[in-house]
Amino acid sequence: MIESPLLDKLTGYIGGRWSDSSEGNTFDVYNPATGEVIAKVPSMSEADVVAAVEAGKSALRLTSPYTLETRRTWLEGIRDALREHKEEVGRILCMEHGKPLKEAQGEVDYAAGFFDYCSKHIQALDAHTLTEKPKDCTWTVHYRPIGVAGLITPWNFPIGMIAKKLSAALAAGCPSVIKPASETPLTMVALFRLMDKYVDMPDGMVNLVMGKASVIGKVLCESPDVPMLSFTGSTEVGRKLVVDTAEQVKKLALELGGNAPFIVFDDADLDSAADNLIANKFRGGGQTCVCANRIFVHEKVADAFGEKLAARVNKMNVGNGLTEDVDLGPLINQAGFDKVKRHLEDALANGASLVAGKEPEDLGDGHLFFPPTVITGVTRDMCCYREETFGPLVPMALFRREEEVIDAGNDTEFGLASYVFTNDAERAQRVAAGLRFGHCGWNTGTGPTPEAPFGGMKASGIGREGGLEGLFEFVEAQAVPRGF
Ligand code: NAP
């Protein structure tokens, strides 16, 4: 079992109090590197979730909202607490997710950056008066908190994803009911421990519920007291939330799945492209929404690029994230491992060939460690081209012409992240404009940051997190005209 000063309470948190499941149910949390159960946490009931919504409602202040200064203090407090406890929060994250310790601790810093950004730009949410006077009135535009928000997060960034949502919700003055993924609830409990101890927020401003998605999701979708859901996770569940909230016309912010193209032209700096691809692809064990999923390489440089990738991949260490010098941890669970294996088998059976990594039959059983793998000769009928692999498999497909690769890049229902490597600035501008993706890195595999808006087009979602656009997600603009 995991021991940590930040996990002395292993329960939910409702209305400013640590709260167990009213029905006494629990579920196990595993360390994917060892297969061991490291904690038991409450599986909360429908009544618990209703109580969390009620607590949020009592903390909501519409007629005299919390001042910008008060909200800024909360954001700064969470930022400082995360930075101060980054080692321990990162260790907990590493143990329940599996990613290397340094990467896990880096994620805590990344999360703190969102609270920092919102604290520094919260002034943008202040009311303003329109300089033009339509209809002989002066108009004031207020940004009102939308109300109690349901925040639902995935397991792949246990602290990063909640930071994006919670920072903007608190900046707006919205109380929230938070549901972490069942694979990784402990990092969230640690965050609540920090908020409880170091940040003076009203009871009910932040509430934590854990347990069955069907139970928690039902209350959040059906309660008229929750006017907004902010969800990060799969497109499949995002679609269900659209349907389940349609009756009430709830506001939805959806950060969904990706199928990122990573395009390497023949004039690109191949070493830099290879370094960027490795950093992008293997972060979180390849289990990120922004990681390159289809690598399009110009046919003239495909062999050279494949060799550079193989040389880098063959030096990577796979193992328990707590061990020094590990580059790649385990996959999150057996279903995740089996999916990557199925994609590899399917590609090899349909004509792709292995550049680095192991044949599927040599992968072994009884563990979740998948070696970094590079294949070439990938075509659009293969699973790894059409679906999000979510693992350390690099599938290379060849192309000849610019228009052809823009069409190929867009040949997916997803539109989250994309990358183009070329030294021709005009071509980069053309390709970025043609790619229907919310993020397009030019000569970089870098992903979202607190300062820039990030989100998906098409089936990758609705709305933006980060940047000023993200800051405005949890407010409703209200125009108040005043006659002379
Ligand atoms: P998931 O299965 O969709 O689950 C995400 C969260 O939703 C979990 O907390 C899950 O709870 C909960 N959930 C499941 N069914 C629900 C329902 N009916 N009502 C309410 N909540 C429900 O996704 P995942 O496997 O955790 O995460 C991987 C996916 O997230 C990938 O597709 C990835 O691309 C995407 N992602 C997108 C972004 C982005 O910024 N666009 C960022 C990160 C990840 P349980 O854990 O209890 O099932």
Side-chain angles (χ1 to χ4, degrees):
M1 290 285 174
I2 190 167
E3 297 279 338
S4 167
L6 299 183
L7 297 177
D8 54 341
K9 315 266 188 210
L10 269 181
T11 68
Y13 188 88
I14 297 175
R17 290 209 173 84
W18 295 97
S19 289
D20 240 315
S21 161
S22 55
E23 291 175 353
N25 297 326
T26 60
F27 65 96
D28 293 338
V29 184
Y30 293 86
N31 179 341
T34 61
E36 286 163 0
V37 173
I38 53 172
K40 281 187 190 301
V41 294
S43 181
M44 299 171 85
S45 68
E46 194 171 321
D48 299 328
V49 188
V50 170
V53 172
E54 280 301 314
K57 226 175 121 184
S58 66
L60 181 66
R61 282 172 54 179
L62 288 176
T63 51
S64 58
Y66 303 103
T67 64
L68 287 180
E69 201 39 59
T70 300
R71 281 133 63 192
R72 192 199 320 266
T73 316
W74 300 340
L75 294 163
E76 289 171 347
I78 301 174
R79 172 199 65 196
D80 294 347
L82 281 173
R83 286 184 178 157
E84 195 170 320
H85 295 270
K86 133 182 164 171
E87 271 79 22
E88 186 57 11
V89 178
R91 191 181 71 87
I92 295 167
L93 198 163
C94 168
M95 285 184 72
E96 65 177 351
H97 175 286
K99 64 179 72 176
L101 183 59
K102 277 211 178 86
E103 200 180 314
Q105 291 171 341
E107 188 185 326
V108 185
D109 263 338
Y110 176 71
F114 284 88
F115 293 99
D116 185 53
Y117 178 85
C118 286
S119 74
K120 291 189 170 131
H121 292 83
I122 196 168
Q123 214 62 35
L125 297 178
D126 208 356
H128 66 270
T129 301
L130 296 181
T131 47
E132 296 196 359
K133 296 185 173 56
K135 296 232 180 241
D136 296 331
C137 289
T138 55
W139 294 64
T140 308
V141 180
H142 297 271
Y143 295 104
R144 310 294 193 192
I146 189 164
V148 179
L151 311 182
I152 304 174
T153 55
W155 49 263
N156 65 343
F157 289 98
I159 192 77
M161 295 300 124
I162 187 58
K164 295 179 174 202
K165 299 178 188 313
L166 184 59
S167 57
L170 289 176
C174 289
S176 50
V177 176
I178 298 173
K179 184 218 171 299
S182 296
E183 274 90 354
T184 56
L186 302 179
T187 307
M188 195 72 85
V189 175
L191 170 65
F192 269 78
R193 189 77 182 87
L194 293 176
M195 293 195 293
D196 182 59
K197 188 160 180 201
Y198 296 109
V199 188
D200 186 17
M201 281 188 279
D203 290 349
M205 201 63 202
V206 288
N207 302 280
L208 169 63
V209 290
M210 298 176 278
K212 286 198 177 131
S214 53
V215 173
I216 298 169
K218 182 170 180 291
V219 176
L220 295 180
C221 287
E222 291 180 1
S223 170
D225 295 321
V226 180
M228 172 169 181
L229 283 188
S230 174
F231 168 82
T232 300
S234 60
T235 294
E236 186 193 351
V237 174
R239 281 197 173 101
K240 182 170 162 34
L241 295 178
V242 172
V243 173
D244 292 353
T245 57
E247 186 68 28
Q248 292 188 21
V249 198
K250 285 195 186 200
K251 176 164 180 187
L252 289 177
L254 301 176
E255 296 286 339
L256 308 178
N259 183 358
F262 189 106
I263 302 169
V264 183
F265 281 95
D266 52 347
D267 66 343
D269 175 336
L270 295 188
D271 281 305
S272 168
D275 287 340
N276 272 280
L277 178 55
I278 298 290
N280 165 287
K281 178 70 202 182
F282 295 109
R283 194 155 57 104
Q287 303 168 110
T288 76
C289 55
V290 292
C291 71
N293 202 57
R294 295 166 297 152
I295 322 311
F296 296 104
V297 189
H298 193 279
E299 61 175 14
K300 280 194 198 155
V301 295
D303 288 346
F305 191 63
E307 282 167 23
K308 287 181 189 299
L309 286 183
R312 286 162 173 75
V313 155
N314 289 334
K315 285 192 203 144
M316 291 179 79
N317 292 325
V318 185
N320 186 329
L322 284 178
T323 314
E324 191 86 1
D325 293 334
V326 158
D327 303 302
L328 197 63
L331 291 172
I332 190 73
N333 54 29
Q334 193 63 49
F337 185 96
D338 292 346
K339 184 177 190 191
V340 188
K341 187 176 176 192
R342 173 170 66 79
H343 281 196
L344 177 62
E345 281 167 346
D346 168 77
L348 296 180
N350 287 292
S353 52
L354 201 59
V355 177
K358 288 185 179 165
E359 295 287 346
E361 56 273 22
D362 298 331
L363 288 170
D365 293 324
H367 64 84
L368 301 175
F369 296 101
F370 204 105
T373 306
V374 182
I375 55 176
T376 191
V378 165
T379 53
R380 74 179 299 279
D381 49 309
M382 296 177 185
C383 296
C384 64
Y385 187 108
R386 295 194 314 272
E387 299 170 24
E388 193 180 28
T389 300
F390 242 51
L393 173 66
V394 180
M396 292 203 299
L398 275 45
F399 75 93
R400 281 189 200 152
R401 290 178 304 108
E402 183 180 311
E403 310 77 58
E404 171 199 348
V405 79
I406 294 174
D407 286 348
N410 286 330
D411 181 19
T412 168
E413 67 168 335
F414 298 108
L416 193 59
S418 58
Y419 309 91
V420 52
F421 282 74
T422 174
N423 282 327
D424 178 339
E426 284 181 16
R427 172 193 275 154
Q429 296 302 337
R430 282 193 307 271
V431 175
L435 288 171
R436 302 296 294 151
F437 291 80
H439 175 102
C440 184
W442 173 27
N443 290 340
T444 175
T446 299
T449 65
E451 296 77 16
F454 177 81
M457 298 186 190
K458 301 177 1 189
S460 286
I462 302 171
R464 294 292 181 266
E465 291 183 335
L468 284 180
E469 289 82 353
L471 193 58
F472 280 81
E473 280 287 355
F474 290 83
V475 292
E476 298 272 31
Q478 183 187 48
V480 181
R482 182 168 62 87
F484 294 111

